[in-house]
Amino acid sequence: GNSVTQMEGPVTLSEEAFLTINCTYTATGYPSLFWYVQYPGEGLQLLLKATKADDKGSNKGFEATYRKETTSFHLEKGSVQVSDSAVYFCALSDDTGGGNKLTFGTGTQLKVEL
Amino acid sequence: SAVISQKPSRDICQRGTSLTIQCQVDSQVTMMFWYRQQPGQSLTLIATANQGSEATYESGFVIDKFPISRPNLTFSTLTVSNMSPEDSSIYLCSVGVSAGGKTQYFGPGTRLLVL
């Protein structure tokens, strides 16, 4: 079956530090990959996505590249801000069978301090 | 994208009672989904709500406990029945849009506490 593995948190960084949150996946077929962000007390927001191998998704300074050879979709940002503090979820969508179901990782909490 | 609203945003309920959560989207969508997020956990899909047909439930979730309605292409409800403290969670609806509905957008969630 499909699965997503994320690095455990919390990840604590100083403002302007470089961020990497690792994500690897196992899937049948050719999944689409997503990063969602959940700010405290809120729902999930789509941060970025990639639908095929070697695609790079980017948004708000975050980026992730779909690496089929390593089955990875690591999230990076060059300079984090306090406002980036949130929980980040990696997910895949595999429409095998027409279900379009999302499989989520466990989430990684990011804390950015001044 | 899509703009999704949920009602109520939060509630505190007594065990044994039921709560119906509403999900409204600003455009017609084929696929709507209901998820549960238990405290400090990731999201688990409860069911896929299809307009004009019965919802499709994931393993571990049953219609008697989580009945779902999907009367049209912009609205769905999820009922949490005969609640117990273990049902305390965030319940989120999402819609599938873009090519083939592969990209899902989420509502703000309903925070439920069962005493």
Side-chain angles (χ1 to χ4, degrees):
Chain A
N2 298 335
S3 67
V4 176
T5 302
Q6 288 182 238
M7 62 188 290
E8 289 197 17
V11 173
T12 303
L13 296 173
S14 298
E15 201 169 44
E16 299 184 359
F18 185 86
L19 168 71
T20 300
I21 300 178
N22 290 336
C23 171
T24 57
Y25 67 90
T26 302
T28 56
Y30 301 95
S32 296
L33 301 174
F34 305 86
W35 278 100
Y36 286 88
V37 57
Q38 186 174 35
Y39 297 101
E42 298 185 14
L44 267 69
Q45 296 180 24
L46 178 65
L47 183 59
L48 55 84
K49 67 178 183 179
T51 58
K52 61 183 187 297
D54 299 325
D55 269 2
K56 177 185 285 188
S58 61
N59 186 26
K60 299 181 181 179
F62 292 89
E63 59 182 34
T65 301
Y66 190 142
R67 301 286 189 199
K68 191 169 185 293
E69 64 276 13
T70 54
T71 61
S72 65
F73 193 55
H74 305 320
L75 182 68
E76 297 182 336
K77 186 175 186 183
S79 176
V80 294
Q81 305 299 313
V82 172
S83 57
D84 293 326
S85 297
V87 179
Y88 293 80
F89 292 93
C90 184
L92 70 83
S93 173
D94 184 354
D95 65 350
T96 303
N100 289 312
K101 298 177 184 178
L102 278 178
T103 301
F104 283 90
T106 53
T108 302
Q109 184 177 16
L110 170 66
K111 298 180 181 178
V112 181
E113 301 172 336
L114 291 171
Chain B
S1 65
V3 177
I4 304 161
S5 59
Q6 286 186 234
K7 291 182 183 179
S9 59
R10 60 181 66 241
D11 208 342
I12 301 173
C13 300
Q14 298 298 318
R15 68 171 66 213
T17 63
S18 298
L19 176 71
T20 295
I21 302 168
Q22 300 178 6
C23 179
Q24 179 80 50
V25 61
D26 67 341
S27 57
Q28 293 186 338
V29 293
T30 302
M31 308 192 77
M32 294 182 79
F33 306 86
W34 286 98
Y35 290 83
R36 180 175 73 183
Q37 185 180 24
Q38 295 178 300
Q41 304 295 314
S42 187
L43 280 78
T44 302
L45 180 64
I46 297 172
T48 301
N50 306 305
Q51 196 268 334
S53 64
E54 285 197 2
T56 304
Y57 289 83
E58 297 299 302
S59 176
F61 297 96
V62 295
I63 187 171
D64 289 347
K65 176 67 175 177
F66 297 102
I68 287 170
S69 77
R70 181 83 198 273
N72 56 52
L73 291 175
T74 63
F75 187 78
S76 179
T77 68
L78 169 76
T79 299
V80 186
S81 303
N82 188 24
M83 289 184 285
S84 67
E86 291 71 35
D87 294 319
S88 298
S89 294
I90 302 173
Y91 292 86
L92 301 107
C93 70
S94 74
V95 301
V97 297
S98 75
K102 289 183 179 180
T103 301
Q104 290 187 26
Y105 292 89
F106 285 80
T110 295
R111 284 151 181 79
L112 172 61
L113 177 62
V114 183
L115 302 177

